[in-house]
Amino acid sequence: MTRVDPTLTSEPNDLGDTAITPSVTPVLVPASRYTSPDFAALEEERLWPHVWQIACTVDHVPEPGDFYEYRCGRLSVIVVRGDDGSLRAFQNVCRHRGNSICQGSGSGLSGLRCPYHHWSWDLDGNLREVPSRKGFGPGLRNEEFGLFRAQVDTWGPLVFVNLDLTAAPLGEFLEGLVDDTTWAHLDEFHAVAATITPVQSNWKVVAEGFSETYHIQGIHSEMLGSVDDVHAPQRLWGLHGASYQHYGVASPRLGRASSDDDVWKSFIVSQGGRMGIDDPATPLPPIPTGQTVRDVIAEQIRVHQAASGVDLSDYSTVRITQLCQYNLFPNLTVLVQADMVAAIVARPGASVDEAEFVLIALYRSAPGAKVPRITDSAVEDSTYLGLVMSQDCTLLRTAQRGLHQPGLEHLAISSEECRIINLHRNLERHLGIVPSELRPIGA
Ligand code: FES
Ligand SMILES: [Fe+2]
């Protein structure tokens, strides 16, 4: 099949979409932002302790006494569900000599106790017990040695924390995202899997890999048969951005020659699990008169979900086959579809060349379904994450190695990659980089 350059044509696709890209000037971004320990240190000082970031899901901490330790580089935060059912978050540090209080996740806590010398607090962070207390003298007052609180709040099933108590609330941070996702009823989704995979790249390489569709024609060619990667409109709020991609249609890059069978096969190869079909040889069911292969795919997804008691009959073909991709500053991508949501998190690693790739899969639950507490799984081998995610992860190592080559001083970012440019603009704002180091290409 001959590929065509879609930039040669600007007509809308069959769904009426044209490639709406916010007017953002293409820029050069310093490569050192991905490789310099000094830049990572600046992020550690000025970004991570002050920004809202996803820690876990409500399904990690569904019951009173459940806790989850969230780590971001050196930062560690305990998210705990209190006896009153409310979520609370604390810096994970003992007020005696600074030991970390909790590790990992668990349940059944009636209080928080430091394992070192057994100082303990209630689930509201109030100090309640100090062994051999006399030795600390009469000046040790419980009210002055509570745990350090962090802000905690939720967006649907996603739990966010912010160590900065002066930061604006989460609702304000989320800008237009709550309104933009009302149709999806995010509260109905629950996490069914959460994996953490160590990767050999800077966290921004990970985040940026999920902030544009430009690379689909590069590393996900199997998807081209079933996604319009060209006409996907994008939008930017202040901090965050979005892209709305139609699936179940062929990419304009393939020309007009794609058959319905090609679209069907490509959809199975790249995301057949959503239809409960994984064999690409599965024949395309007959397409009812007046419908398209896209309608058939949407119906298969409805049928597959119905088998688990989830009713998607109120969701149109467009809602079911369109992917709404939200890029939240600084390191979270949320993929919203009618049947599933995925949260992709890029956490900084132990060095500027390392990160953690966190993938949380959420599905809509049947009404009244019992949802078990979820725990993270460590996944060393990204092939486990499926074809597309595995392709994304494989690329991270080569991308990071390339960024270290002395000839590369800047990355060239196009206006189509506007969500990456927005990330760097906001990064500069948070890190206090003035004047901007982002130079228009050709200036
Ligand atoms: S460091 Fe925590 S009780 Fe001593
Ligand atoms: Fe990708």
Side-chain angles (χ1 to χ4, degrees):
M1 194 174 290
T2 319
R3 298 233 181 133
V4 296
D5 181 351
T7 57
L8 297 176
T9 155
S10 61
E11 78 263 24
N13 63 8
D14 296 341
L15 303 156
D17 282 340
T18 48
I20 302 167
T21 299
S23 81
V24 172
T25 307
V27 294
L28 299 174
V29 172
S32 58
R33 292 189 173 185
Y34 304 81
T35 58
S36 154
D38 289 345
F39 196 84
L42 206 57
E43 292 172 342
E44 192 174 312
E45 177 198 335
R46 298 186 185 174
L47 175 66
W48 300 114
H50 302 289
V51 72
W52 281 99
Q53 51 210 283
I54 181 173
C56 60
T57 69
V58 293
D59 303 304
H60 285 85
V61 282
E63 301 292 337
D66 290 348
F67 72 94
Y68 179 89
E69 182 205 8
Y70 165 65
R71 285 193 197 172
C72 172
R74 273 190 259 223
L75 298 177
S76 174
V77 177
I78 311 166
V79 177
V80 62
R81 194 172 290 279
D83 298 327
D84 59 356
S86 300
L87 288 176
R88 294 189 179 79
F90 307 101
Q91 294 184 31
N92 189 9
V93 55
C94 174
R95 296 296 308 272
H96 174 220
R97 277 165 49 198
N99 186 40
S100 301
I101 297 169
C102 286
Q103 293 187 53
S105 62
S107 57
L109 289 185
S110 57
L112 292 156
R113 188 164 75 163
C114 176
Y116 203 172
H117 311 94
H118 282 190
W119 281 37
S120 68
W121 296 261
D122 64 24
L123 295 183
D124 205 9
N126 303 305
L127 181 64
R128 68 180 184 193
E129 199 184 326
V130 176
S132 306
R133 187 176 188 117
K134 259 194 196 155
F136 291 93
L140 181 75
R141 284 188 286 275
N142 282 11
E143 56 274 23
E144 289 174 10
F145 286 84
L147 296 178
F148 298 116
R149 285 180 177 280
Q151 294 198 65
V152 61
D153 205 347
T154 56
W155 174 34
L158 309 179
V159 177
F160 290 74
V161 296
N162 191 329
L163 280 83
D164 187 344
L165 298 178
T166 69
L170 180 67
E172 202 173 304
F173 170 81
L174 290 175
E175 302 178 326
L177 302 189
V178 175
D179 287 346
D180 213 53
T181 51
T182 306
W183 67 271
H185 304 286
L186 291 181
D187 286 324
E188 295 177 7
F189 286 84
H190 289 282
V192 297
T195 58
I196 302 181
T197 304
V199 292
Q200 304 301 309
S201 77
N202 185 262
W203 68 270
K204 293 186 289 297
V205 177
V206 183
E208 292 169 7
F210 295 94
S211 300
E212 43 86 2
T213 52
Y214 185 34
H215 73 276
I216 290 178
Q217 37 98 30
I219 64 170
H220 304 307
S221 57
E222 299 87 349
M223 291 175 71
L224 287 178
S226 57
V227 60
D228 186 341
D229 55 327
V230 172
H231 293 94
Q234 300 189 69
R235 72 180 291 186
L236 296 176
W237 287 271
L239 290 166
H240 318 305
S243 152
Y244 307 89
Q245 303 146 29
H246 288 296
Y247 285 78
V249 293
S251 168
R253 295 180 197 278
L254 299 180
R256 296 272 173 196
S258 284
S259 68
D260 289 339
D261 281 314
D262 293 337
V263 172
W264 173 252
K265 198 165 287 180
S266 166
F267 196 89
I268 293 175
V269 169
S270 53
Q271 46 185 329
R274 293 179 61 201
M275 302 191 293
I277 298 173
D278 53 19
D279 181 359
T282 305
L284 169 64
I287 301 176
T289 309
Q291 295 194 7
T292 64
V293 60
R294 200 173 184 222
D295 294 310
V296 172
I297 288 171
E299 184 56 19
Q300 290 288 331
I301 292 172
R302 282 189 204 98
V303 168
H304 183 57
Q305 288 292 312
S308 320
V310 175
D311 180 8
L312 291 185
S313 57
D314 284 345
Y315 293 88
S316 66
T317 291
V318 170
R319 283 300 189 201
I320 292 176
T321 54
Q322 186 180 46
L323 172 67
C324 302
Q325 181 180 45
Y326 297 96
N327 297 100
L328 280 72
F329 180 78
N331 66 334
L332 169 63
T333 300
V334 182
L335 309 178
V336 178
Q337 291 162 308
D339 56 323
M340 65 178 293
V341 167
I344 299 162
V345 194
R347 294 183 189 161
S351 77
V352 69
D353 294 315
E354 296 167 85
E356 285 181 339
F357 174 89
V358 181
L359 177 61
I360 306 174
L362 305 102
Y363 284 89
R364 202 183 291 279
S365 290
K370 173 99 182 94
V371 180
R373 183 170 74 88
I374 189 173
T375 54
D376 292 340
S377 306
V379 172
E380 297 292 326
D381 177 7
S382 63
T383 53
Y384 174 82
L385 302 173
L387 174 72
V388 176
M389 290 290 178
S390 174
Q391 288 167 333
D392 287 314
C393 283
T394 302
L395 185 104
L396 298 172
R397 183 189 293 268
T398 56
Q400 188 68 17
R401 190 183 302 130
L403 287 163
H404 276 281
Q405 303 315 305
L408 187 81
E409 291 184 6
H410 295 96
L411 289 72
I413 314 292
S414 79
S415 52
E416 181 185 337
E417 298 166 291
C418 59
R419 287 171 283 156
I420 297 178
I421 296 173
N422 202 42
L423 166 64
H424 283 274
R425 281 183 179 161
N426 282 303
L427 204 51
E428 291 193 334
R429 220 165 283 152
H430 279 70
L431 302 186
I433 297 173
V434 182
S436 172
E437 297 171 346
L438 307 179
R439 289 209 330 260
I441 293 177

